[in-house]
Amino acid sequence: QVQLVESGGGLVQAGGSLRLSCVASGSIFRIYTMRWYRQAPGKQRELVAAVSTASTDYADSVKGRFNISRDNVNKAVYLRMNSLRPEDTAIYYCNAEIASYEDVARYRNYWGQGTQVTVSS
């Protein structure tokens, strides 16, 4: 069974920083793309940042402020968030495309449980 567990959320003042972590565990053969999404109250879930084996990508709203990175040895992905704004307030979810040892030829989408980020003005 594959699991993703996020940590690092919290309450921060505008202009502050937070670092989110997500660690994958279980019967993992390989991890392809890892992503961070967020969902604010009353809004749809949106892609914040993604990191594959060769590239990174960011939503326009976070470019220059957020940085995504991954640690393949520890099966982790991180999101460093700087210059936080009240509009960054949301539940942040980790997502990863993972092939398990039970089915090495197929990548499945897995989600974490989410971590709350609240930015006060």
Side-chain angles (χ1 to χ4, degrees):
Q1 184 73 13
V2 174
Q3 287 187 321
L4 299 178
V5 178
E6 301 106 330
S7 61
L11 174 63
V12 64
Q13 287 189 329
S17 298
L18 282 175
R19 184 179 185 247
L20 304 183
S21 301
C22 172
V23 179
S25 63
S27 181
I28 296 172
F29 173 69
R30 185 171 293 159
I31 303 176
Y32 185 46
T33 301
M34 305 185 83
R35 303 178 180 90
W36 286 97
Y37 286 79
R38 66 186 180 188
Q39 187 166 19
K43 294 189 177 182
Q44 287 190 328
R45 191 172 296 190
E46 63 172 350
L47 178 64
V48 176
V51 56
S52 69
T53 55
S55 64
T56 58
D57 194 21
Y58 297 91
D60 287 342
S61 60
V62 305
K63 281 181 181 176
R65 299 189 298 123
F66 290 11
N67 178 263
I68 189 170
S69 61
R70 64 190 287 172
D71 179 344
N72 292 324
V73 172
N74 293 304
K75 301 182 179 66
V77 62
Y78 307 99
L79 186 68
R80 176 68 180 181
M81 304 184 294
N82 298 320
S83 302
L84 283 161
R85 305 167 180 169
E87 53 264 39
D88 295 318
T89 295
I91 299 175
Y92 283 70
Y93 296 92
C94 175
N95 167 271
E97 298 173 30
I98 297 174
S100 68
Y101 279 106
E102 288 75 20
D103 190 356
V104 299
R106 180 177 177 181
Y107 285 93
R108 297 175 186 263
N109 236 351
Y110 292 89
W111 292 88
Q113 81 287 352
T115 185
Q116 176 70 47
V117 171
T118 303
V119 185
S120 62
S121 56

